[in-house]
Amino acid sequence: MLFVYILAGLVGLCVGSFLNVVIYRVPQKMSLATPASHCPKCGYKLKWYDNIPILSYCILGGKCRSCKEHISFRYTAVEMLNAVLWLACAMLFWEESIPYACIAALACSVGICIAFIDLEHMLIYDRFQLILLALGAAAIFFDSGTKWHSHLIGMGLGFVSFFLLAWVGKKIWKYDALGGGDVKLAAVLGLLLGWEKLLLAVLIASVLASVVLIIVRHARGDEKNTEYPFGPFLVLGMTVALLFGNQIISWYTGILIG
């Protein structure tokens, strides 16, 4: 298992490097394959030794080898975050179900793309929703901790509840409380997690969003109806529920019963 954990972390690092390409290029409508990785300022084409996750950033001091332009730490943060999440998925699920461990790891990676793109561009692309939809469908067969009908109920619950909230916001409150991407994301997360863990994910997302966005609004002096991305909070809630949802729910129900 030690070998599995090391491999999961290393593969997670490499996948994290690719996620950076996705996060940067998808909103720019660029191909993920071409051109080769390069400095956006001077066009310097990165050599293989410039693309080693984390290590290259440290060796280069966070700067382009050619023009010395500062490289955002976000690239290294994404690599590290993805590696940690893949390692967590291996440690939590590998011995119980290898397919589900892979499903969880891939879902975390897709979630990272959604969170960072939505944070910067306030967009959630359908291609990511479709990947999560496929992973959710696979989870029905390999998630031993959640019954199959819970996944289907979760999908319906996620869509209906978020659709109604978006409709109420537009018709009664006269502003977009939720975007269409958030509604679809809630639906596919319901399929992935099951309705019990979906409720936990939404609770975590809502509480964090309430606290963080109130602070941000006051710090920036934004108007009351200023729109903020909710996707990153949903992804964070999804990640916690995916990794630790069964334990948290069992602990909470134990308190209620006991």
Side-chain angles (χ1 to χ4, degrees):
M1 288 310 300
L2 179 61
F3 172 77
V4 171
Y5 298 154
I6 294 173
L7 185 62
L10 291 176
V11 174
L13 273 178
C14 296
V15 172
S17 183
F18 174 70
L19 297 185
N20 280 315
V21 176
V22 176
I23 292 168
Y24 176 77
R25 295 193 180 192
V26 167
Q28 307 294 332
K29 295 182 172 56
M30 298 171 61
S31 168
L32 298 181
T34 57
S37 297
H38 60 280
C39 172
K41 182 178 180 182
C42 69
Y44 167 74
K45 292 185 178 180
L46 276 62
K47 305 295 190 297
W48 67 268
Y49 46 80
D50 296 322
N51 261 331
I52 303 174
I54 299 178
L55 188 60
S56 293
Y57 183 90
C58 295
I59 293 174
L60 293 172
K63 298 179 181 178
C64 171
R65 185 182 295 276
S66 176
C67 68
K68 307 305 179 184
E69 175 74 5
H70 175 70
I71 301 172
S72 173
F73 182 70
R74 187 202 74 188
Y75 295 100
T76 299
V78 167
E79 293 167 352
M80 294 173 61
L81 178 60
N82 197 67
V84 169
L85 290 176
W86 277 50
L87 175 59
C89 290
M91 295 178 68
L92 291 169
F93 306 123
W94 189 269
E95 292 186 88
E96 181 179 345
S97 173
I98 294 176
Y100 187 70
C102 295
I103 291 169
L106 291 173
C108 289
S109 294
V110 175
I112 289 174
C113 293
I114 291 174
F116 278 90
I117 291 176
D118 194 29
L119 192 62
E120 184 174 356
H121 301 280
M122 293 188 67
L123 290 170
I124 301 179
Y125 289 91
D126 285 345
R127 66 189 69 183
F128 300 124
Q129 313 267 23
L130 292 173
I131 296 173
L132 287 178
L133 180 66
L135 293 173
I140 294 176
F141 301 97
F142 297 108
D143 182 5
S144 59
T146 306
K147 297 185 181 299
W148 66 269
H149 52 78
S150 176
H151 290 275
L152 299 180
I153 294 172
M155 186 176 188
L157 178 65
F159 177 79
V160 171
S161 59
F162 271 58
F163 178 82
L164 288 176
L165 184 58
W167 182 84
V168 169
K170 199 170 187 66
K171 296 295 183 181
I172 299 178
W173 300 332
K174 305 302 180 184
Y175 73 95
D176 293 328
L178 291 170
D182 296 319
V183 176
K184 288 181 281 188
L185 181 58
V188 295
L189 290 187
L191 181 64
L192 176 69
L193 299 171
W195 73 265
E196 301 96 337
K197 286 184 283 189
L198 174 66
L199 293 179
L200 174 63
V202 172
L203 176 62
I204 293 171
S206 301
V207 171
L208 284 176
S210 298
V211 174
V212 172
L213 296 183
I214 287 175
I215 295 173
V216 169
R217 188 176 68 188
H218 284 284
R220 293 180 180 177
D222 294 335
E223 296 181 1
K224 184 177 180 180
N225 291 340
T226 300
E227 295 182 7
Y228 301 100
F230 189 56
F233 298 101
L234 271 178
V235 168
L236 181 58
M238 173 207 78
T239 304
V240 174
L242 186 65
L243 298 179
F244 308 109
N246 290 332
Q247 296 91 321
I248 294 174
I249 292 171
S250 297
W251 167 78
Y252 182 70
T253 52
I255 292 177
L256 293 179
I257 296 173

